[in-house]
Amino acid sequence: MTTSPDAVRSQLEKILASPRFVHSERLKRFLRYVVEEGLAGRGENLKEYTLALAVFDKDESHDTSQDPIVRVEARRLRARLKEYYETDGRKDPLRIELPKGSYAPAFLPAAPPSRKTRWIAPAIAGTALMAAIGIASFYRFREKPVVPREWVLKRLTSDSGLTTHPAISRDGTRVAFASDRGGENNLEIWVQPSVGGDPLRLTHHPSDDYEPAFSPDATRIAFRSDRLGGGIYVVPALGGEVRAVAPYGRNPSFSPDGKWIAYWVGSVGGDLLSPAGRVFIVPASGGAAQPWSPDGRYLLFLGTLDTDTAPERRFDWWTAPVASGRPEKAGLGDLLQRQGLAMLPNGGPPEWTADALLFTARGGDSTNLWQVRFSSSRRRVVGPAARITFGTALEMYPSAALDGRIAFASVTHNSDLWSQPVEPHEGVVAGEMQRLTEGPANEIFPSVSADGNRLAFLSDRSGSLDVWLKDLRSGVETSVAAGGLPKRYPRISPSGSRIVYSEQAGGRSASYLVSAAGGDRETLCEGCSRAWGWSPDEAQILFQLERPPGPLGVGALRLSTRQITPLLQHATWNLANPGFSPDSHWVSFHAILSPVRRQIFVAPVKPGAPVGEEGWLPVTDGQALERNAAWSPDSSLLYWLSERDAFRCIWAQRLDRQAEPQGLPFPVLHLHQARRSLSSGDVGAIGLAAAPGKLIFSASEVTGSVW
């Protein structure tokens, strides 16, 4: 959104006069300087060294590696701004932010929290209907599309890398898509005539830009960008200035009159936690998010009536009147269950045309486009779904034009296990990534023994997810637990002699113990959904602790008695991914503060007793998505997955013997390529694990073209 300099300066003065800033001359000077530089168009020149000289009166001999004053004060400034907007400035129409990874300020419209779900509340009379991943679209008031009786496929792009997320204009003349064809390893927005021709690049930014959506008149394209913390942006369809519209948003969709953009804010979830978020509508020209719209009567979204702490949340697609009225189930979830189909969580939302829903679903071993009739008057699906594509790749992200033409992406996706050599006591890379598995199967959820020689993981090479074991010295791979229900969450013991894993069916979970040499399994517990990790002496296993309707906690199962003792619990936060330190003194875990924030903690181990939150020591500041911590073998480093730089990378923090952070968090491995990354699929499946001299994880390689 284009914001006037006068409005920004007015907001700046209000912030500086607030109780949280009025007595801090250093922060006031810092904020005033970066805001004025940003307004002058010099935000890209705001570097650590420059700020040290201009704001903190350092001389030209200043060494930023020895004196981190700018980084420290920037952290304080971000925290102070957050406090301001949560208190005195909670109703301010404009936000001034200092996004992580940059010293250039962002001037963004603020969405009042108290209004963001008002359009849903009257319809549910106090029941929690969580609007989650995947706004499909507004209901479109348009003539019935002409659907060809026979589909004729035409390939629009032929890139060797990744081209995906297509959007076809309403008149069918142009297709926008995200592609890394620019040669910079990140996704940018491109547009190309649907009949062929030269593509035009619309965005130029090192962060990924994707999920484009045409305005009804095809003059503008809204898209999701990971820049500056992520959000919705708009660019002219023939090129021009990129404008920020809404912070943090995903999956933009224009209203039929082009005046509004619907989007959602939240987390896509994973295998353990369901997606969670909120739906917003914002003026397409930018501004504060609104809970209603004068045009476009309904929105289609994925949601649930279950509480966000329910262990088995039942999601389905719903329609809701934009202005007011009762949300209604579309019936798509029940239909898919009857036909043995499953929609992919990352396959894109359904495309809602005048009388049909077009979507991606998996049936058997293939993922294709399907279509089902949809009664707009009844707001329900009618009849069975019919498959309209029959390829062997993943056919995803459908987009339909008025004349019946459909654009979609044909994507190949493969997850393999990798090892990254690191200096044992420093946490810095010591060589190139090394591939541990190779082939068409997906290998995920790795877990490594304490000596780094034995690796347990899940693989679908036999047609379903089974537990496999790899000897990293000999390279031999063997199946340990196969057949029956799909296996989940394998965790190998420190000695490498035993593996615990889980299965789930009918809403119930059970965990089992099996020898690494194979053989019959032993039931550990029933009704327990996930084993997180072993104690160094192999006497205990950390488990997910479910106490509906309360949040998810952590329990310790003692193998000798099979009793689970509560270890970690919070009144409002779900807790996840706990792990014992190799010296047995600490347990690490992360708290789910919101759909877009996680915070990593460590807590002292107290045998047989829970650890109250007053004893938790924060390792990260809780301002970004940072999770899945793993201890170094000597307990001096904590590694984790971080999205603080708009990509999912591996970061670390040095800890002393009292688990106090020493210095600042630092990046270990940046993975900023769209084709090979940690950003595709379930976060838990990455399975970050540390062993002597190496980190082990599952990374995805994705390629695709538009048809």
Side-chain angles (χ1 to χ4, degrees):
M1 180 184 74
T2 302
T3 303
S4 72
D6 288 344
V8 173
R9 290 190 175 99
S10 175
Q11 179 68 24
L12 172 64
E13 296 305 322
K14 184 177 180 182
I15 293 172
L16 298 182
S18 69
R20 283 164 177 77
F21 281 85
V22 69
H23 299 299
S24 179
E25 293 301 324
R26 175 176 281 184
L27 289 184
K28 288 166 64 177
R29 184 179 179 185
F30 193 177
L31 182 58
R32 187 184 296 278
Y33 183 83
V34 297
V35 167
E36 290 297 339
E37 289 295 290
L39 291 175
R42 297 188 291 268
E44 295 300 321
N45 297 327
L46 290 170
K47 307 298 183 183
E48 185 175 357
Y49 178 79
T50 305
L51 289 168
L53 273 60
V55 177
F56 301 105
D57 300 321
K58 301 295 181 179
D59 59 34
E60 294 182 357
S61 64
H62 177 71
D63 185 349
T64 58
S65 65
Q66 298 299 317
D67 184 354
I69 185 172
V70 176
R71 299 192 298 275
V72 171
E73 293 302 313
R75 182 187 301 174
R76 290 183 60 220
L77 179 57
R78 293 184 184 104
R80 202 69 63 87
L81 285 170
K82 177 177 178 291
E83 292 174 4
Y84 169 79
Y85 281 112
E86 288 178 346
T87 54
D88 305 277
R90 63 186 179 276
K91 295 183 179 180
D92 289 2
L94 175 68
R95 293 180 68 94
I96 298 177
E97 296 184 357
L98 195 67
K100 278 186 173 273
S102 171
Y103 298 113
F107 312 129
L108 304 170
S114 62
R115 302 179 66 194
K116 64 184 179 182
T117 55
R118 191 180 302 165
W119 60 275
I120 270 184
I124 56 178
T127 304
L129 179 60
M130 299 290 290
I133 180 175
I135 296 174
S137 65
F138 287 90
Y139 170 62
R140 302 177 182 181
F141 296 99
R142 66 189 196 188
E143 62 271 25
K144 183 177 179 180
V146 179
V147 180
R149 293 185 178 181
E150 294 185 5
W151 298 97
V152 178
L153 295 180
K154 176 184 176 182
R155 186 167 181 163
L156 184 66
T157 67
S158 300
D159 299 295
S160 59
L162 177 59
T163 298
T164 184
H165 290 283
I168 193 168
S169 61
R170 194 173 181 184
D171 61 9
T173 60
R174 283 179 284 174
V175 176
F177 50 83
S179 179
D180 65 357
R181 59 172 60 190
E184 297 160 6
N185 294 323
N186 63 297
L187 296 176
E188 303 283 2
I189 302 298
W190 298 69
V191 67
Q192 182 173 332
S194 59
V195 295
D198 294 332
L200 173 66
R201 182 173 174 175
L202 299 182
T203 63
H204 299 76
H205 197 277
S207 296
D208 283 338
D209 299 331
Y210 51 104
E211 295 176 353
F214 271 103
S215 62
D217 61 4
T219 63
R220 295 162 292 162
I221 295 174
F223 62 95
R224 155 78 183 192
S225 177
D226 289 339
R227 66 185 77 182
L228 300 177
I232 303 298
Y233 292 76
V234 172
V235 64
L238 296 179
E241 179 188 3
V242 174
R243 294 185 297 104
V245 173
Y248 311 121
R250 299 176 181 272
N251 287 108
S253 175
F254 277 95
S255 62
D257 61 5
K259 296 180 179 180
W260 300 86
I261 295 175
Y263 64 95
W264 71 281
V265 172
S267 169
V268 296
D271 195 53
L272 175 69
L273 292 170
S274 301
R278 290 288 187 268
V279 174
F280 292 86
I281 300 169
V282 69
S285 58
Q290 301 291 325
W292 53 269
S293 169
D295 305 286
R297 291 166 52 195
Y298 302 109
L299 281 171
L300 178 69
F301 62 92
L302 184 63
T304 179
L305 289 170
D306 296 326
T307 64
D308 62 357
T309 57
E312 299 297 334
R313 301 180 74 194
R314 299 177 297 276
F315 277 77
D316 204 340
W317 288 90
W318 298 70
T319 62
V322 173
S324 64
R326 181 181 180 81
E328 296 286 350
K329 261 190 180 182
L332 184 57
D334 294 338
L335 173 68
L336 295 176
Q337 186 175 15
R338 290 195 301 270
Q339 292 191 227
L341 301 173
M343 290 183 65
L344 300 185
N346 59 343
E351 176 79 341
W352 187 359
T353 65
D355 65 348
L357 296 180
L358 179 67
F359 57 92
T360 293
R362 183 176 184 86
D365 291 331
S366 65
T367 299
N368 306 109
L369 300 188
W370 293 72
Q371 185 172 256
V372 63
R373 288 182 56 209
F374 189 78
S375 169
S376 296
S377 60
R378 296 171 52 200
R379 292 155 56 192
R380 287 193 64 83
V381 297
V382 179
R387 185 162 61 174
I388 61 175
T389 63
F390 296 84
T392 56
L394 303 177
E395 293 163 341
M396 308 164 74
Y397 314 119
S399 176
L402 284 175
D403 62 5
R405 278 184 285 183
I406 294 171
F408 66 94
S410 180
V411 176
T412 60
H413 175 280
N414 185 252
S415 295
D416 285 304
L417 305 184
W418 294 79
S419 173
Q420 173 60 61
V422 294
E423 294 290 345
H425 305 295
E426 298 299 324
V428 297
V429 298
E432 297 296 321
M433 286 173 54
Q434 300 170 5
R435 187 189 292 270
L436 299 180
T437 61
E438 190 168 7
N442 288 298
E443 272 85 31
I444 54 177
F445 285 105
S447 174
V448 67
S449 59
D451 61 9
N453 292 328
R454 310 192 95 185
L455 180 66
F457 60 96
L458 293 183
S459 176
D460 62 4
R461 64 185 69 180
S462 299
S464 65
L465 283 174
D466 298 324
V467 179
W468 286 73
L469 182 72
K470 184 180 182 75
D471 188 311
L472 295 179
R473 294 163 298 183
S474 66
V476 174
E477 298 178 0
T478 55
S479 175
V480 175
L485 296 171
K487 310 299 183 285
R488 312 195 319 167
Y489 320 128
R491 293 286 180 173
I492 195 168
S493 64
S495 65
S497 61
R498 294 178 290 178
I499 299 169
V500 60
Y501 67 92
S502 300
E503 293 180 354
Q504 185 174 28
R508 292 288 293 173
S509 299
S511 291
Y512 303 93
L513 189 65
V514 65
S515 169
D520 294 336
R521 67 185 187 181
E522 178 184 354
T523 302
L524 277 182
C525 56
E526 295 184 353
C528 46
S529 62
R530 177 169 186 169
W532 288 107
W534 295 73
S535 61
D537 62 3
E538 301 189 11
Q540 299 180 81
I541 300 175
L542 295 175
F543 269 90
Q544 189 71 63
L545 190 62
E546 297 172 355
R547 289 186 170 181
L552 303 176
V554 176
L557 180 143
R558 184 162 292 277
L559 285 172
S560 60
T561 63
R562 297 296 195 268
Q563 296 297 311
I564 297 180
T565 302
L567 183 64
L568 300 164
Q569 193 80 41
H570 192 273
T572 57
W573 297 340
N574 287 311
L575 307 180
N577 210 84
F580 283 110
S581 61
D583 63 10
S584 303
H585 296 156
W586 305 92
V587 59
S588 62
F589 60 97
H590 71 253
I592 301 171
L593 309 185
S594 79
V596 295
R597 293 190 295 126
R598 308 285 191 271
Q599 186 170 16
I600 295 173
F601 294 88
V602 296
V605 173
K606 297 181 179 180
V611 183
E613 59 186 284
E614 68 279 357
W616 302 356
L617 304 176
V619 178
T620 63
D621 60 12
Q623 298 304 303
L625 279 170
E626 297 184 304
R627 46 197 164 176
N628 294 24
W631 291 91
S632 65
D634 64 358
S635 302
S636 67
L637 287 164
L638 201 60
Y639 300 97
W640 66 82
L641 302 179
S642 174
E643 299 179 32
R644 63 174 60 197
D645 65 355
F647 295 89
R648 189 174 294 157
C649 305
I650 299 175
W651 285 62
Q653 173 68 63
R654 293 182 178 88
L655 304 175
D656 64 15
R657 292 186 177 181
Q658 286 72 45
E660 290 285 350
Q662 300 298 295
L664 296 173
F666 60 93
V668 177
L669 179 64
H670 284 301
L671 289 167
H672 292 184
Q673 297 184 9
R675 266 176 278 178
R676 180 188 296 166
S677 72
L678 303 176
S679 298
S680 180
D682 176 21
V683 180
I686 297 169
L688 180 63
K694 59 190 171 186
L695 300 175
I696 293 175
F697 48 86
S698 176
S700 298
E701 294 183 284
V702 185
T703 59
S705 296
V706 172
W707 291 71

